[in-house]
């Protein structure tokens, strides 16, 4: 992957960050660039989380795939397998980011779980992103998540800004949990791109969130967390992804997690 040039484009955003922003995948794939001729990338990852208060550890495996076409449309999907509370759940996710004009991206996404012991039965999500002046990007998404005995509707409103080699972002999550209230959460992110494709960043979140239990019920609890993550490209085709984090789920438990992934570009 060649080095991108820092040419300023519309809204004061360098063109290399415009390419990233207009992919509409800031939560998934914004930390790297995609060649203009189209590109396919696969990543396999393993995560382990230690829980205190006598809870057994969690783990997860994922295989993520992404294809950006010459027209700028990005297709992506994943197969996943997670273990919590002594049970395994498997599922799939898929979505597409479609640029509309020069400033808009529409991103529908859906997921399905096959065992739904603790993960939701499925979800559908629609995200819209708008490129704004002075390096700003605004976004909004609506998501409905189905559990065995409940459903969760969530509105996420976000703003982010690119300047120099930095990206900062804030997201407000407002949820309506059937039978369990209306939790509100906040998320902050700050990334530093130390070359055209590699990055390191921090994440912090606070508020209340929902979580599925093995019996299909959903509960909400106060949540706070902090994490470090990054992706380092070894060359044009291979990269290592990593994530370290801590989450406090109210008085229930603290989770300490680590994830490692290997990414291959074609």
């Amino acid at each position: 992957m060649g080095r991108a040039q820092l040419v300023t484009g519309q809204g004061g955003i360098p063109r290399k960050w415009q390419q990233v922003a207009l992919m509409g995948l800031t939560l998934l794939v914004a930390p790297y660039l995609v060649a203009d001729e189209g590109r396919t990338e696969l990543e396999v990852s393993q995560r382990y989380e230690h829980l205190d208060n006598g809870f057994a550890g969690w783990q997860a495996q994922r295989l993520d795939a992404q294809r950006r076409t010459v027209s700028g449309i990005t297709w992506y999907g994943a197969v996943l397998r997670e273990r919590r509370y002594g049970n395994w759940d498997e599922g799939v996710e898929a979505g597409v980011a479609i640029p509309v004009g020069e400033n808009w991206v529409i991103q529908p996404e859906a997921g399905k779980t096959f065992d739904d012991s603790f993960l939701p039965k499925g979800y559908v999500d629609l995200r819209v992103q708008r490129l704004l002046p002075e390096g700003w990007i605004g976004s909004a998404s609506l998501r409905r998540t189905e559990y065995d005995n409940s459903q969760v509707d969530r509105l996420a409103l976000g703003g982010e800004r690119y300047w120099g080699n930095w990206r900062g972002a804030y997201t407000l999550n407002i949820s309506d949990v059937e039978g369990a209230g209306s939790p509100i959460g906040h998320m902050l992110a700050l990334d530093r791109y130390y070359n055209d494709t590699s990055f390191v960043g921090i994440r912090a979140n606070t508020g209340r969130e929902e979580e599925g239990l093995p019996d299909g019920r959903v509960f909400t609890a106060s949540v706070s967390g902090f994490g470090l993550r990054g992706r380092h490209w070894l060359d044009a085709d291979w990269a290592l992804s990593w994530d370290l984090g801590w989450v406090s789920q109210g008085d229930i438990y603290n989770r300490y997690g680590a994830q490692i992934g290997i990414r291959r570009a074609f």
Side-chain angles (χ1 to χ4, degrees), residues 110-251:
K112 170 66 177 175
T113 302
F114 301 114
D115 295 322
D116 56 89
S117 172
F118 51 86
L119 292 177
K121 296 172 61 176
Y123 72 88
V124 291
D125 187 287
L126 179 62
R127 175 181 169 127
V128 178
Q129 188 163 280
R130 175 72 159 90
L131 184 65
L132 302 170
E134 303 299 328
W136 287 92
I137 299 168
S139 64
S141 72
L142 288 171
R143 175 179 293 220
R144 167 160 290 187
T145 305
E146 295 281 349
Y147 292 87
D148 275 338
N149 300 316
S150 182
Q151 71 180 28
V152 179
D153 294 316
R154 187 213 65 190
L155 170 65
L157 303 173
E160 59 188 285
R161 188 170 189 266
Y162 294 83
W163 72 99
N165 290 326
W166 294 86
R167 169 187 174 266
Y170 167 76
T171 303
L172 171 66
N173 291 305
I174 305 171
S175 300
D176 180 19
V177 183
E178 183 179 7
S182 301
I184 295 177
H186 311 269
M187 179 178 292
L188 293 170
L190 181 65
D191 295 322
R192 172 74 164 94
Y193 298 86
Y194 53 88
N195 60 37
D196 288 344
T197 56
S198 301
F199 84 103
V200 62
I202 61 175
R203 300 289 183 273
N205 66 286
T206 186
R208 295 183 65 84
E209 294 181 1
E210 72 278 359
E211 182 173 324
L213 295 173
D215 60 5
R217 292 182 295 119
V218 178
F219 75 95
T220 64
S222 297
V223 175
S224 58
F226 182 82
L228 301 172
R229 73 173 189 173
R231 178 177 292 124
H232 180 76
W233 284 91
L234 304 172
D235 54 31
D237 298 323
W238 290 94
L240 294 176
S241 300
W242 58 271
D243 186 300
L244 299 172
W246 158 80
V247 175
S248 174
Q249 190 83 29
D251 297 328

Side-chain angles (χ1 to χ4, degrees), residues 40-78:
T40 298
E41 300 190 8
L42 299 176
E43 179 171 317
V44 59
S45 62
Q46 168 73 47
R47 183 172 187 85
Y48 178 79
E49 293 183 279
H50 169 76
L51 281 68
D52 60 12
N53 288 342
F55 288 92
W58 296 2
Q59 59 175 301
Q61 296 103 35
R62 292 179 61 97
L63 174 61
D64 288 89
Q66 173 196 305
R67 172 63 183 172
R68 183 176 186 268
T69 66
V70 175
S71 64
I73 296 175
T74 299
W75 299 87
Y76 62 96

